[in-house]
Amino acid sequence: MDQRRAGLLEAMALERYVLRGGPADSIIEPVMAPTVAVVAPLPTSTTNRSATATVRSVRPLAAPAPGAAAGLQPPPETADLDWVGLEAAVAGCRRCGLCEARTQTVFGVGDRAARWLIVGEAPGPDEERQGEPFVGRVGQLLNAMLQSIGHPRPTVYIANVLKCRPPSNQDPTPEQVRQCLPNLQRQIELVAPDLILCVGRVAAQNLLGVDTPLAQLRGKVHRFGAAELAVVVTYHPAYLLRSPSEKRKAWIDLQFALEVANGRRAAI
Ligand code: URA
């Protein structure tokens, strides 16, 4: 393993495994489990955007979907908004009960022309206080994950499914998602990223409109919206803080996401 790669693993705080009986400094790198490899290399002349001959988990923006977000219809007023209008609409939103207790909304942060868009679940207390997604320890781990794959935080766009903090870290309700998801949809349309990285089950299930377990969503290229943007799913950094041994799997997911974003993998 070269020094750069070792540094990236360090940045993500992944454990190093020294081979017993092997060279003192040999490190076993995580390997993709064959059971989750459902993608094929792209022909070299094909870009990831055009590689949609066969797709999985396709859901047009306004189409009914099987999961929690079924029947989602972005209100026309949201669908047409530019960044200024969308930010103002979110700041003044009263479409669900979460507006009653919030101190401020958490819109999203980052490069509005980013190649990668990160989708989380909902702001927590730290995020509500600072008005920015993924701050505090969870945010620091997300930053390290992004840094480790060469897409540091300032180069990506980060947004949540919900823009208001649910009380006591409760999972978003279907109604809250139904009311709020159009805002994220519009953010995705405006950024038009090469890749959407969903962190955690709740973000992935609600964005894709499925109730598939996270383990089955990993290692696949899903597609979102009429533009069929590539979506890859990995663990939530809060979960990784609680279960550090799972970081190796997250590393595999991030390598997979890189390959998808760089057009080296596509859905079969
Ligand atoms: N968890 C999330 O999903 N989003 C945040 O912004 C913070 C924590």
Side-chain angles (χ1 to χ4, degrees), residues 168-203:
S168 317
N169 286 332
Q170 286 163 5
D171 279 3
T173 65
E175 178 58 13
Q176 288 161 0
V177 172
R178 202 173 73 82
Q179 297 298 341
C180 207
L181 199 57
N183 298 315
L184 177 62
Q185 287 178 294
R186 188 63 188 143
Q187 287 172 304
I188 291 171
E189 282 176 354
L190 288 168
V191 175
D194 290 343
L195 184 102
I196 299 170
L197 180 69
C198 277
V199 295
R201 174 188 64 81
V202 173

Side-chain angles (χ1 to χ4, degrees), residues 120-124 127 133-134 138 160 236:
E121 178 180 332
E127 286 75 22
F134 285 100
V138 173
N160 286 311
H236 196 288

Side-chain angles (χ1 to χ4, degrees), residues 5-91:
R5 201 156 162 73
L8 296 180
L9 287 170
E10 288 283 353
M12 223 184 121
L14 287 164
E15 302 103 346
R16 290 156 162 238
Y17 290 87
V18 179
L19 274 175
R20 280 178 210 280
D25 62 348
S26 43
I27 295 164
I28 302 172
E29 288 187 63
V31 289
M32 172 69 95
T35 50
V36 296
V38 295
V39 292
L42 274 180
T44 45
S45 61
T46 313
T47 68
N48 63 317
R49 281 284 173 90
S50 60
T52 54
T54 310
V55 293
R56 291 172 172 273
S57 302
V58 174
R59 189 178 66 150
L61 282 181
L72 177 70
Q73 296 286 340
E77 66 273 16
T78 304
D80 291 340
L81 292 176
D82 62 10
W83 280 111
V84 174
L86 185 63
E87 203 161 0
V90 167

Side-chain angles (χ1 to χ4, degrees), residues 127-139:
E127 286 75 22
E128 183 182 54
R129 208 171 302 120
Q130 296 190 34
E132 181 168 329
F134 285 100
V135 296
R137 279 185 73 221
V138 173

